[in-house]
Amino acid sequence: MPFIEIKIVPFKSKNDSYNVQPLRSNNEIGDFLFFLRRNKFAKRDIFLFLFGINTGLRMSDIVCRKVGDIKYSSTPQIIEQKTGKKRTLYLESMQKQIEDYTVNMDDNDWFSRKGTGHLQPKAVYQIFQKVADGLERDDIGTHTLRKTFGYHYYKRTKDIVFLMEIFGHSNQQITKRYIGITQDEISDSLKNFRLGF
């Protein structure tokens, strides 16, 4: 009877391998933009990135937007695909970027256009994986944008209740864990912790 080698591979749940993190500093955001600027469709990809980190939307709610959804109001309302809930976007700080990006586009154009349609979240993920390779990071995904928004919003305001409401989370701990604040707070609290010496 021939010898058969059996290789045992430990099971990894989706959560074990899906360690997506926010971009925690302006330098990390700048580095991300540096690599996006080298893409074939840099203008589109940069706009999607900036729109994501400034709204906190899921990628599925970003790629399906049409120009007319955002061009004429600084506070447009959308229906989130995952939750079916109405959400107001606050785009006042992005008006210049929106105007520059949509200047030659019709109201019915997808702003994540790809041919006659729009990008799918999976395609955006693949774009971001090329950026992640350039940055030598393994913790980048489409949720990086949403988490980056949340991380910086919390750092600036310290208002976890509003952020929880924006994200539609059921409690503060979920929101803190989602944006990576829990681990940061634990690290900060233990920096100078010493006993017995």
PDB file of all heavy atoms in Angstrom, residues 125-162:
ATOM      1  N   TYR A 125     -12.245  46.221  -4.348  1.00  0.00           N
ATOM      2  CA  TYR A 125     -11.363  45.441  -3.468  1.00  0.00           C
ATOM      3  C   TYR A 125     -10.060  45.096  -4.195  1.00  0.00           C
ATOM      4  O   TYR A 125      -8.968  45.224  -3.641  1.00  0.00           O
ATOM      5  CB  TYR A 125     -12.085  44.178  -2.997  1.00  0.00           C
ATOM      6  CG  TYR A 125     -11.208  43.269  -2.176  1.00  0.00           C
ATOM      7  CD1 TYR A 125     -10.988  43.523  -0.826  1.00  0.00           C
ATOM      8  CD2 TYR A 125     -10.580  42.165  -2.753  1.00  0.00           C
ATOM      9  CE1 TYR A 125     -10.164  42.700  -0.074  1.00  0.00           C
ATOM     10  CE2 TYR A 125      -9.762  41.339  -2.002  1.00  0.00           C
ATOM     11  CZ  TYR A 125      -9.560  41.605  -0.663  1.00  0.00           C
ATOM     12  OH  TYR A 125      -8.741  40.804   0.073  1.00  0.00           O
ATOM     13  N   GLN A 126     -10.163  44.665  -5.444  1.00  0.00           N
ATOM     14  CA  GLN A 126      -8.966  44.299  -6.207  1.00  0.00           C
ATOM     15  C   GLN A 126      -8.069  45.521  -6.452  1.00  0.00           C
ATOM     16  O   GLN A 126      -6.838  45.419  -6.379  1.00  0.00           O
ATOM     17  CB  GLN A 126      -9.365  43.644  -7.529  1.00  0.00           C
ATOM     18  CG  GLN A 126      -9.986  42.276  -7.308  1.00  0.00           C
ATOM     19  CD  GLN A 126     -10.681  41.715  -8.538  1.00  0.00           C
ATOM     20  OE1 GLN A 126     -11.027  42.431  -9.462  1.00  0.00           O
ATOM     21  NE2 GLN A 126     -10.896  40.403  -8.526  1.00  0.00           N
ATOM     22  N   ILE A 127      -8.677  46.675  -6.707  1.00  0.00           N
ATOM     23  CA  ILE A 127      -7.899  47.914  -6.856  1.00  0.00           C
ATOM     24  C   ILE A 127      -7.144  48.205  -5.558  1.00  0.00           C
ATOM     25  O   ILE A 127      -5.957  48.528  -5.569  1.00  0.00           O
ATOM     26  CB  ILE A 127      -8.834  49.098  -7.219  1.00  0.00           C
ATOM     27  CG1 ILE A 127      -9.402  48.919  -8.627  1.00  0.00           C
ATOM     28  CG2 ILE A 127      -8.098  50.434  -7.088  1.00  0.00           C
ATOM     29  CD1 ILE A 127     -10.580  49.832  -8.940  1.00  0.00           C
ATOM     30  N   PHE A 128      -7.843  48.062  -4.435  1.00  0.00           N
ATOM     31  CA  PHE A 128      -7.230  48.346  -3.139  1.00  0.00           C
ATOM     32  C   PHE A 128      -6.159  47.328  -2.772  1.00  0.00           C
ATOM     33  O   PHE A 128      -5.213  47.653  -2.053  1.00  0.00           O
ATOM     34  CB  PHE A 128      -8.292  48.414  -2.044  1.00  0.00           C
ATOM     35  CG  PHE A 128      -9.171  49.645  -2.121  1.00  0.00           C
ATOM     36  CD1 PHE A 128     -10.235  49.784  -1.263  1.00  0.00           C
ATOM     37  CD2 PHE A 128      -8.939  50.653  -3.040  1.00  0.00           C
ATOM     38  CE1 PHE A 128     -11.050  50.902  -1.314  1.00  0.00           C
ATOM     39  CE2 PHE A 128      -9.738  51.779  -3.111  1.00  0.00           C
ATOM     40  CZ  PHE A 128     -10.805  51.910  -2.243  1.00  0.00           C
ATOM     41  N   GLN A 129      -6.278  46.098  -3.265  1.00  0.00           N
ATOM     42  CA  GLN A 129      -5.250  45.101  -2.987  1.00  0.00           C
ATOM     43  C   GLN A 129      -3.936  45.452  -3.677  1.00  0.00           C
ATOM     44  O   GLN A 129      -2.861  45.182  -3.145  1.00  0.00           O
ATOM     45  CB  GLN A 129      -5.728  43.705  -3.399  1.00  0.00           C
ATOM     46  CG  GLN A 129      -6.770  43.130  -2.454  1.00  0.00           C
ATOM     47  CD  GLN A 129      -6.341  43.219  -1.001  1.00  0.00           C
ATOM     48  OE1 GLN A 129      -5.412  42.553  -0.563  1.00  0.00           O
ATOM     49  NE2 GLN A 129      -7.013  44.078  -0.233  1.00  0.00           N
ATOM     50  N   LYS A 130      -4.020  46.081  -4.840  1.00  0.00           N
ATOM     51  CA  LYS A 130      -2.786  46.541  -5.505  1.00  0.00           C
ATOM     52  C   LYS A 130      -2.129  47.649  -4.690  1.00  0.00           C
ATOM     53  O   LYS A 130      -0.910  47.696  -4.554  1.00  0.00           O
ATOM     54  CB  LYS A 130      -3.104  47.034  -6.917  1.00  0.00           C
ATOM     55  CG  LYS A 130      -3.481  45.910  -7.863  1.00  0.00           C
ATOM     56  CD  LYS A 130      -3.844  46.427  -9.235  1.00  0.00           C
ATOM     57  CE  LYS A 130      -4.304  45.285 -10.115  1.00  0.00           C
ATOM     58  NZ  LYS A 130      -4.859  45.739 -11.398  1.00  0.00           N
ATOM     59  N   VAL A 131      -2.958  48.537  -4.130  1.00  0.00           N
ATOM     60  CA  VAL A 131      -2.432  49.582  -3.247  1.00  0.00           C
ATOM     61  C   VAL A 131      -1.806  48.937  -2.009  1.00  0.00           C
ATOM     62  O   VAL A 131      -0.712  49.312  -1.592  1.00  0.00           O
ATOM     63  CB  VAL A 131      -3.536  50.585  -2.844  1.00  0.00           C
ATOM     64  CG1 VAL A 131      -3.034  51.557  -1.785  1.00  0.00           C
ATOM     65  CG2 VAL A 131      -4.053  51.330  -4.070  1.00  0.00           C
ATOM     66  N   ALA A 132      -2.506  47.956  -1.440  1.00  0.00           N
ATOM     67  CA  ALA A 132      -2.003  47.268  -0.250  1.00  0.00           C
ATOM     68  C   ALA A 132      -0.651  46.618  -0.527  1.00  0.00           C
ATOM     69  O   ALA A 132       0.248  46.652   0.319  1.00  0.00           O
ATOM     70  CB  ALA A 132      -3.019  46.219   0.224  1.00  0.00           C
ATOM     71  N   ASP A 133      -0.498  46.036  -1.712  1.00  0.00           N
ATOM     72  CA  ASP A 133       0.791  45.442  -2.091  1.00  0.00           C
ATOM     73  C   ASP A 133       1.882  46.506  -2.109  1.00  0.00           C
ATOM     74  O   ASP A 133       2.981  46.287  -1.607  1.00  0.00           O
ATOM     75  CB  ASP A 133       0.705  44.770  -3.461  1.00  0.00           C
ATOM     76  CG  ASP A 133      -0.124  43.490  -3.438  1.00  0.00           C
ATOM     77  OD1 ASP A 133      -0.396  42.958  -2.328  1.00  0.00           O
ATOM     78  OD2 ASP A 133      -0.528  43.032  -4.529  1.00  0.00           O
ATOM     79  N   GLY A 134       1.574  47.665  -2.684  1.00  0.00           N
ATOM     80  CA  GLY A 134       2.545  48.759  -2.722  1.00  0.00           C
ATOM     81  C   GLY A 134       2.904  49.249  -1.337  1.00  0.00           C
ATOM     82  O   GLY A 134       4.043  49.634  -1.080  1.00  0.00           O
ATOM     83  N   LEU A 135       1.926  49.232  -0.436  1.00  0.00           N
ATOM     84  CA  LEU A 135       2.149  49.683   0.943  1.00  0.00           C
ATOM     85  C   LEU A 135       2.720  48.576   1.834  1.00  0.00           C
ATOM     86  O   LEU A 135       3.042  48.822   2.990  1.00  0.00           O
ATOM     87  CB  LEU A 135       0.827  50.168   1.552  1.00  0.00           C
ATOM     88  CG  LEU A 135       0.214  51.415   0.930  1.00  0.00           C
ATOM     89  CD1 LEU A 135      -1.190  51.649   1.483  1.00  0.00           C
ATOM     90  CD2 LEU A 135       1.095  52.630   1.190  1.00  0.00           C
ATOM     91  N   GLU A 136       2.795  47.370   1.280  1.00  0.00           N
ATOM     92  CA  GLU A 136       3.234  46.184   2.031  1.00  0.00           C
ATOM     93  C   GLU A 136       2.377  45.973   3.270  1.00  0.00           C
ATOM     94  O   GLU A 136       2.867  45.768   4.382  1.00  0.00           O
ATOM     95  CB  GLU A 136       4.720  46.279   2.379  1.00  0.00           C
ATOM     96  CG  GLU A 136       5.608  46.326   1.149  1.00  0.00           C
ATOM     97  CD  GLU A 136       7.084  46.419   1.469  1.00  0.00           C
ATOM     98  OE1 GLU A 136       7.446  46.564   2.653  1.00  0.00           O
ATOM     99  OE2 GLU A 136       7.879  46.339   0.512  1.00  0.00           O
ATOM    100  N   ARG A 137       1.051  46.032   3.051  1.00  0.00           N
ATOM    101  CA  ARG A 137       0.089  45.833   4.136  1.00  0.00           C
ATOM    102  C   ARG A 137      -0.851  44.692   3.761  1.00  0.00           C
ATOM    103  O   ARG A 137      -1.186  44.517   2.592  1.00  0.00           O
ATOM    104  CB  ARG A 137      -0.728  47.107   4.378  1.00  0.00           C
ATOM    105  CG  ARG A 137       0.090  48.229   4.968  1.00  0.00           C
ATOM    106  CD  ARG A 137      -0.729  49.449   5.260  1.00  0.00           C
ATOM    107  NE  ARG A 137      -1.764  49.207   6.255  1.00  0.00           N
ATOM    108  CZ  ARG A 137      -2.348  50.168   6.954  1.00  0.00           C
ATOM    109  NH1 ARG A 137      -1.992  51.428   6.794  1.00  0.00           N
ATOM    110  NH2 ARG A 137      -3.287  49.881   7.838  1.00  0.00           N
ATOM    111  N   ASP A 138      -1.279  43.954   4.767  1.00  0.00           N
ATOM    112  CA  ASP A 138      -2.230  42.870   4.523  1.00  0.00           C
ATOM    113  C   ASP A 138      -3.553  43.121   5.250  1.00  0.00           C
ATOM    114  O   ASP A 138      -4.324  42.196   5.481  1.00  0.00           O
ATOM    115  CB  ASP A 138      -1.636  41.519   4.931  1.00  0.00           C
ATOM    116  CG  ASP A 138      -1.314  41.449   6.418  1.00  0.00           C
ATOM    117  OD1 ASP A 138      -1.523  42.443   7.150  1.00  0.00           O
ATOM    118  OD2 ASP A 138      -0.845  40.381   6.857  1.00  0.00           O
ATOM    119  N   ASP A 139      -3.804  44.376   5.598  1.00  0.00           N
ATOM    120  CA  ASP A 139      -5.004  44.702   6.368  1.00  0.00           C
ATOM    121  C   ASP A 139      -5.870  45.763   5.680  1.00  0.00           C
ATOM    122  O   ASP A 139      -6.550  46.540   6.320  1.00  0.00           O
ATOM    123  CB  ASP A 139      -4.629  45.169   7.773  1.00  0.00           C
ATOM    124  CG  ASP A 139      -3.723  46.401   7.782  1.00  0.00           C
ATOM    125  OD1 ASP A 139      -3.310  46.857   6.690  1.00  0.00           O
ATOM    126  OD2 ASP A 139      -3.436  46.916   8.872  1.00  0.00           O
ATOM    127  N   ILE A 140      -5.822  45.766   4.346  1.00  0.00           N
ATOM    128  CA  ILE A 140      -6.580  46.738   3.557  1.00  0.00           C
ATOM    129  C   ILE A 140      -7.713  46.024   2.828  1.00  0.00           C
ATOM    130  O   ILE A 140      -7.518  44.965   2.249  1.00  0.00           O
ATOM    131  CB  ILE A 140      -5.673  47.435   2.511  1.00  0.00           C
ATOM    132  CG1 ILE A 140      -4.520  48.170   3.179  1.00  0.00           C
ATOM    133  CG2 ILE A 140      -6.478  48.358   1.608  1.00  0.00           C
ATOM    134  CD1 ILE A 140      -4.895  49.370   3.995  1.00  0.00           C
ATOM    135  N   GLY A 141      -8.890  46.628   2.852  1.00  0.00           N
ATOM    136  CA  GLY A 141     -10.044  46.107   2.124  1.00  0.00           C
ATOM    137  C   GLY A 141     -11.000  47.251   1.849  1.00  0.00           C
ATOM    138  O   GLY A 141     -10.707  48.413   2.137  1.00  0.00           O
ATOM    139  N   THR A 142     -12.175  46.937   1.334  1.00  0.00           N
ATOM    140  CA  THR A 142     -13.131  48.004   1.045  1.00  0.00           C
ATOM    141  C   THR A 142     -13.637  48.639   2.337  1.00  0.00           C
ATOM    142  O   THR A 142     -13.979  49.819   2.349  1.00  0.00           O
ATOM    143  CB  THR A 142     -14.320  47.494   0.213  1.00  0.00           C
ATOM    144  OG1 THR A 142     -14.929  46.393   0.878  1.00  0.00           O
ATOM    145  CG2 THR A 142     -13.870  47.080  -1.176  1.00  0.00           C
ATOM    146  N   HIS A 143     -13.666  47.892   3.436  1.00  0.00           N
ATOM    147  CA  HIS A 143     -14.110  48.466   4.707  1.00  0.00           C
ATOM    148  C   HIS A 143     -13.067  49.402   5.322  1.00  0.00           C
ATOM    149  O   HIS A 143     -13.361  50.109   6.283  1.00  0.00           O
ATOM    150  CB  HIS A 143     -14.482  47.365   5.711  1.00  0.00           C
ATOM    151  CG  HIS A 143     -15.869  46.858   5.522  1.00  0.00           C
ATOM    152  ND1 HIS A 143     -16.941  47.316   6.239  1.00  0.00           N
ATOM    153  CD2 HIS A 143     -16.365  45.944   4.662  1.00  0.00           C
ATOM    154  CE1 HIS A 143     -18.037  46.698   5.849  1.00  0.00           C
ATOM    155  NE2 HIS A 143     -17.712  45.864   4.887  1.00  0.00           N
ATOM    156  N   THR A 144     -11.858  49.422   4.762  1.00  0.00           N
ATOM    157  CA  THR A 144     -10.836  50.351   5.251  1.00  0.00           C
ATOM    158  C   THR A 144     -11.352  51.786   5.196  1.00  0.00           C
ATOM    159  O   THR A 144     -11.100  52.580   6.106  1.00  0.00           O
ATOM    160  CB  THR A 144      -9.529  50.205   4.437  1.00  0.00           C
ATOM    161  OG1 THR A 144      -8.985  48.908   4.693  1.00  0.00           O
ATOM    162  CG2 THR A 144      -8.508  51.268   4.811  1.00  0.00           C
ATOM    163  N   LEU A 145     -12.103  52.123   4.147  1.00  0.00           N
ATOM    164  CA  LEU A 145     -12.603  53.491   3.998  1.00  0.00           C
ATOM    165  C   LEU A 145     -13.595  53.825   5.105  1.00  0.00           C
ATOM    166  O   LEU A 145     -13.498  54.871   5.750  1.00  0.00           O
ATOM    167  CB  LEU A 145     -13.272  53.674   2.635  1.00  0.00           C
ATOM    168  CG  LEU A 145     -12.341  53.932   1.454  1.00  0.00           C
ATOM    169  CD1 LEU A 145     -11.336  52.823   1.242  1.00  0.00           C
ATOM    170  CD2 LEU A 145     -13.150  54.143   0.198  1.00  0.00           C
ATOM    171  N   ARG A 146     -14.549  52.951   5.328  1.00  0.00           N
ATOM    172  CA  ARG A 146     -15.574  53.154   6.362  1.00  0.00           C
ATOM    173  C   ARG A 146     -14.932  53.224   7.745  1.00  0.00           C
ATOM    174  O   ARG A 146     -15.268  54.069   8.571  1.00  0.00           O
ATOM    175  CB  ARG A 146     -16.584  52.007   6.270  1.00  0.00           C
ATOM    176  CG  ARG A 146     -17.799  52.116   7.144  1.00  0.00           C
ATOM    177  CD  ARG A 146     -18.795  51.046   6.686  1.00  0.00           C
ATOM    178  NE  ARG A 146     -19.780  50.700   7.677  1.00  0.00           N
ATOM    179  CZ  ARG A 146     -20.917  51.352   7.876  1.00  0.00           C
ATOM    180  NH1 ARG A 146     -21.194  52.419   7.157  1.00  0.00           N
ATOM    181  NH2 ARG A 146     -21.771  50.939   8.781  1.00  0.00           N
ATOM    182  N   LYS A 147     -13.970  52.346   7.977  1.00  0.00           N
ATOM    183  CA  LYS A 147     -13.282  52.333   9.266  1.00  0.00           C
ATOM    184  C   LYS A 147     -12.408  53.570   9.445  1.00  0.00           C
ATOM    185  O   LYS A 147     -12.278  54.087  10.554  1.00  0.00           O
ATOM    186  CB  LYS A 147     -12.444  51.062   9.400  1.00  0.00           C
ATOM    187  CG  LYS A 147     -13.286  49.808   9.547  1.00  0.00           C
ATOM    188  CD  LYS A 147     -12.434  48.580   9.742  1.00  0.00           C
ATOM    189  CE  LYS A 147     -13.308  47.350   9.936  1.00  0.00           C
ATOM    190  NZ  LYS A 147     -12.567  46.209  10.463  1.00  0.00           N
ATOM    191  N   THR A 148     -11.805  54.053   8.366  1.00  0.00           N
ATOM    192  CA  THR A 148     -10.996  55.266   8.434  1.00  0.00           C
ATOM    193  C   THR A 148     -11.866  56.456   8.808  1.00  0.00           C
ATOM    194  O   THR A 148     -11.509  57.261   9.676  1.00  0.00           O
ATOM    195  CB  THR A 148     -10.273  55.512   7.094  1.00  0.00           C
ATOM    196  OG1 THR A 148      -9.399  54.406   6.839  1.00  0.00           O
ATOM    197  CG2 THR A 148      -9.473  56.804   7.108  1.00  0.00           C
ATOM    198  N   PHE A 149     -13.026  56.570   8.164  1.00  0.00           N
ATOM    199  CA  PHE A 149     -13.975  57.625   8.522  1.00  0.00           C
ATOM    200  C   PHE A 149     -14.303  57.550  10.013  1.00  0.00           C
ATOM    201  O   PHE A 149     -14.214  58.550  10.734  1.00  0.00           O
ATOM    202  CB  PHE A 149     -15.267  57.500   7.696  1.00  0.00           C
ATOM    203  CG  PHE A 149     -16.397  58.317   8.245  1.00  0.00           C
ATOM    204  CD1 PHE A 149     -16.520  59.661   7.917  1.00  0.00           C
ATOM    205  CD2 PHE A 149     -17.347  57.750   9.097  1.00  0.00           C
ATOM    206  CE1 PHE A 149     -17.557  60.426   8.434  1.00  0.00           C
ATOM    207  CE2 PHE A 149     -18.380  58.510   9.623  1.00  0.00           C
ATOM    208  CZ  PHE A 149     -18.484  59.852   9.293  1.00  0.00           C
ATOM    209  N   GLY A 150     -14.688  56.369  10.476  1.00  0.00           N
ATOM    210  CA  GLY A 150     -15.085  56.195  11.875  1.00  0.00           C
ATOM    211  C   GLY A 150     -13.963  56.484  12.848  1.00  0.00           C
ATOM    212  O   GLY A 150     -14.164  57.142  13.876  1.00  0.00           O
ATOM    213  N   TYR A 151     -12.778  56.012  12.524  1.00  0.00           N
ATOM    214  CA  TYR A 151     -11.618  56.208  13.395  1.00  0.00           C
ATOM    215  C   TYR A 151     -11.334  57.698  13.578  1.00  0.00           C
ATOM    216  O   TYR A 151     -11.182  58.185  14.699  1.00  0.00           O
ATOM    217  CB  TYR A 151     -10.403  55.498  12.796  1.00  0.00           C
ATOM    218  CG  TYR A 151      -9.160  55.601  13.638  1.00  0.00           C
ATOM    219  CD1 TYR A 151      -8.918  54.680  14.653  1.00  0.00           C
ATOM    220  CD2 TYR A 151      -8.225  56.611  13.423  1.00  0.00           C
ATOM    221  CE1 TYR A 151      -7.775  54.773  15.431  1.00  0.00           C
ATOM    222  CE2 TYR A 151      -7.091  56.708  14.211  1.00  0.00           C
ATOM    223  CZ  TYR A 151      -6.871  55.787  15.210  1.00  0.00           C
ATOM    224  OH  TYR A 151      -5.746  55.889  15.984  1.00  0.00           O
ATOM    225  N   HIS A 152     -11.282  58.440  12.475  1.00  0.00           N
ATOM    226  CA  HIS A 152     -10.958  59.871  12.550  1.00  0.00           C
ATOM    227  C   HIS A 152     -12.113  60.685  13.126  1.00  0.00           C
ATOM    228  O   HIS A 152     -11.875  61.656  13.846  1.00  0.00           O
ATOM    229  CB  HIS A 152     -10.511  60.383  11.185  1.00  0.00           C
ATOM    230  CG  HIS A 152      -9.158  59.867  10.804  1.00  0.00           C
ATOM    231  ND1 HIS A 152      -7.991  60.477  11.196  1.00  0.00           N
ATOM    232  CD2 HIS A 152      -8.785  58.763  10.110  1.00  0.00           C
ATOM    233  CE1 HIS A 152      -6.959  59.791  10.747  1.00  0.00           C
ATOM    234  NE2 HIS A 152      -7.416  58.738  10.085  1.00  0.00           N
ATOM    235  N   TYR A 153     -13.341  60.287  12.831  1.00  0.00           N
ATOM    236  CA  TYR A 153     -14.496  60.969  13.419  1.00  0.00           C
ATOM    237  C   TYR A 153     -14.446  60.836  14.940  1.00  0.00           C
ATOM    238  O   TYR A 153     -14.610  61.813  15.669  1.00  0.00           O
ATOM    239  CB  TYR A 153     -15.800  60.373  12.880  1.00  0.00           C
ATOM    240  CG  TYR A 153     -17.043  61.003  13.468  1.00  0.00           C
ATOM    241  CD1 TYR A 153     -17.626  62.107  12.850  1.00  0.00           C
ATOM    242  CD2 TYR A 153     -17.620  60.511  14.633  1.00  0.00           C
ATOM    243  CE1 TYR A 153     -18.763  62.701  13.392  1.00  0.00           C
ATOM    244  CE2 TYR A 153     -18.743  61.099  15.182  1.00  0.00           C
ATOM    245  CZ  TYR A 153     -19.308  62.191  14.563  1.00  0.00           C
ATOM    246  OH  TYR A 153     -20.425  62.778  15.110  1.00  0.00           O
ATOM    247  N   TYR A 154     -14.172  59.626  15.413  1.00  0.00           N
ATOM    248  CA  TYR A 154     -14.111  59.404  16.863  1.00  0.00           C
ATOM    249  C   TYR A 154     -12.931  60.148  17.489  1.00  0.00           C
ATOM    250  O   TYR A 154     -13.071  60.777  18.536  1.00  0.00           O
ATOM    251  CB  TYR A 154     -14.025  57.911  17.187  1.00  0.00           C
ATOM    252  CG  TYR A 154     -13.899  57.660  18.663  1.00  0.00           C
ATOM    253  CD1 TYR A 154     -15.002  57.811  19.508  1.00  0.00           C
ATOM    254  CD2 TYR A 154     -12.685  57.310  19.238  1.00  0.00           C
ATOM    255  CE1 TYR A 154     -14.891  57.613  20.871  1.00  0.00           C
ATOM    256  CE2 TYR A 154     -12.566  57.121  20.604  1.00  0.00           C
ATOM    257  CZ  TYR A 154     -13.665  57.269  21.417  1.00  0.00           C
ATOM    258  OH  TYR A 154     -13.554  57.089  22.775  1.00  0.00           O
ATOM    259  N   LYS A 155     -11.772  60.083  16.861  1.00  0.00           N
ATOM    260  CA  LYS A 155     -10.596  60.769  17.403  1.00  0.00           C
ATOM    261  C   LYS A 155     -10.838  62.278  17.501  1.00  0.00           C
ATOM    262  O   LYS A 155     -10.384  62.922  18.434  1.00  0.00           O
ATOM    263  CB  LYS A 155      -9.361  60.500  16.539  1.00  0.00           C
ATOM    264  CG  LYS A 155      -8.776  59.127  16.717  1.00  0.00           C
ATOM    265  CD  LYS A 155      -8.196  58.978  18.092  1.00  0.00           C
ATOM    266  CE  LYS A 155      -7.308  57.766  18.195  1.00  0.00           C
ATOM    267  NZ  LYS A 155      -6.692  57.644  19.497  1.00  0.00           N
ATOM    268  N   ARG A 156     -11.551  62.840  16.528  1.00  0.00           N
ATOM    269  CA  ARG A 156     -11.807  64.279  16.505  1.00  0.00           C
ATOM    270  C   ARG A 156     -12.903  64.673  17.490  1.00  0.00           C
ATOM    271  O   ARG A 156     -12.806  65.697  18.158  1.00  0.00           O
ATOM    272  CB  ARG A 156     -12.197  64.710  15.097  1.00  0.00           C
ATOM    273  CG  ARG A 156     -12.318  66.215  14.944  1.00  0.00           C
ATOM    274  CD  ARG A 156     -12.501  66.606  13.509  1.00  0.00           C
ATOM    275  NE  ARG A 156     -11.316  66.234  12.738  1.00  0.00           N
ATOM    276  CZ  ARG A 156     -11.228  66.304  11.425  1.00  0.00           C
ATOM    277  NH1 ARG A 156     -12.239  66.731  10.723  1.00  0.00           N
ATOM    278  NH2 ARG A 156     -10.118  65.946  10.815  1.00  0.00           N
ATOM    279  N   THR A 157     -13.985  63.883  17.581  1.00  0.00           N
ATOM    280  CA  THR A 157     -15.161  64.292  18.364  1.00  0.00           C
ATOM    281  C   THR A 157     -15.297  63.579  19.701  1.00  0.00           C
ATOM    282  O   THR A 157     -15.967  64.078  20.599  1.00  0.00           O
ATOM    283  CB  THR A 157     -16.450  64.028  17.574  1.00  0.00           C
ATOM    284  OG1 THR A 157     -16.621  62.608  17.417  1.00  0.00           O
ATOM    285  CG2 THR A 157     -16.433  64.730  16.225  1.00  0.00           C
ATOM    286  N   LYS A 158     -14.718  62.380  19.821  1.00  0.00           N
ATOM    287  CA  LYS A 158     -14.891  61.504  20.980  1.00  0.00           C
ATOM    288  C   LYS A 158     -16.372  61.140  21.191  1.00  0.00           C
ATOM    289  O   LYS A 158     -16.765  60.718  22.263  1.00  0.00           O
ATOM    290  CB  LYS A 158     -14.336  62.126  22.273  1.00  0.00           C
ATOM    291  CG  LYS A 158     -12.861  62.405  22.221  1.00  0.00           C
ATOM    292  CD  LYS A 158     -12.045  61.150  22.125  1.00  0.00           C
ATOM    293  CE  LYS A 158     -10.575  61.444  22.261  1.00  0.00           C
ATOM    294  NZ  LYS A 158      -9.753  60.724  21.347  1.00  0.00           N
ATOM    295  N   ASP A 159     -17.184  61.285  20.162  1.00  0.00           N
ATOM    296  CA  ASP A 159     -18.620  61.036  20.263  1.00  0.00           C
ATOM    297  C   ASP A 159     -18.956  59.673  19.676  1.00  0.00           C
ATOM    298  O   ASP A 159     -19.299  59.553  18.506  1.00  0.00           O
ATOM    299  CB  ASP A 159     -19.405  62.143  19.553  1.00  0.00           C
ATOM    300  CG  ASP A 159     -20.873  62.117  19.929  1.00  0.00           C
ATOM    301  OD1 ASP A 159     -21.381  61.033  20.287  1.00  0.00           O
ATOM    302  OD2 ASP A 159     -21.509  63.180  19.879  1.00  0.00           O
ATOM    303  N   ILE A 160     -18.854  58.655  20.503  1.00  0.00           N
ATOM    304  CA  ILE A 160     -19.120  57.298  20.049  1.00  0.00           C
ATOM    305  C   ILE A 160     -20.612  57.070  19.823  1.00  0.00           C
ATOM    306  O   ILE A 160     -21.008  56.252  18.989  1.00  0.00           O
ATOM    307  CB  ILE A 160     -18.531  56.248  21.030  1.00  0.00           C
ATOM    308  CG1 ILE A 160     -18.404  54.874  20.361  1.00  0.00           C
ATOM    309  CG2 ILE A 160     -19.333  56.162  22.312  1.00  0.00           C
ATOM    310  CD1 ILE A 160     -17.371  54.817  19.276  1.00  0.00           C
ATOM    311  N   VAL A 161     -21.468  57.820  20.522  1.00  0.00           N
ATOM    312  CA  VAL A 161     -22.918  57.648  20.366  1.00  0.00           C
ATOM    313  C   VAL A 161     -23.360  58.071  18.965  1.00  0.00           C
ATOM    314  O   VAL A 161     -24.100  57.347  18.298  1.00  0.00           O
ATOM    315  CB  VAL A 161     -23.689  58.428  21.456  1.00  0.00           C
ATOM    316  CG1 VAL A 161     -25.187  58.349  21.226  1.00  0.00           C
ATOM    317  CG2 VAL A 161     -23.344  57.882  22.836  1.00  0.00           C
ATOM    318  N   PHE A 162     -22.913  59.243  18.512  1.00  0.00           N
ATOM    319  CA  PHE A 162     -23.263  59.679  17.155  1.00  0.00           C
ATOM    320  C   PHE A 162     -22.674  58.733  16.106  1.00  0.00           C
ATOM    321  O   PHE A 162     -23.317  58.409  15.122  1.00  0.00           O
ATOM    322  CB  PHE A 162     -22.787  61.107  16.892  1.00  0.00           C
ATOM    323  CG  PHE A 162     -23.738  62.172  17.342  1.00  0.00           C
ATOM    324  CD1 PHE A 162     -23.309  63.479  17.427  1.00  0.00           C
ATOM    325  CD2 PHE A 162     -25.053  61.887  17.670  1.00  0.00           C
ATOM    326  CE1 PHE A 162     -24.176  64.490  17.838  1.00  0.00           C
ATOM    327  CE2 PHE A 162     -25.932  62.878  18.084  1.00  0.00           C
ATOM    328  CZ  PHE A 162     -25.493  64.182  18.169  1.00  0.00           C
TER     329      PHE A 162
END
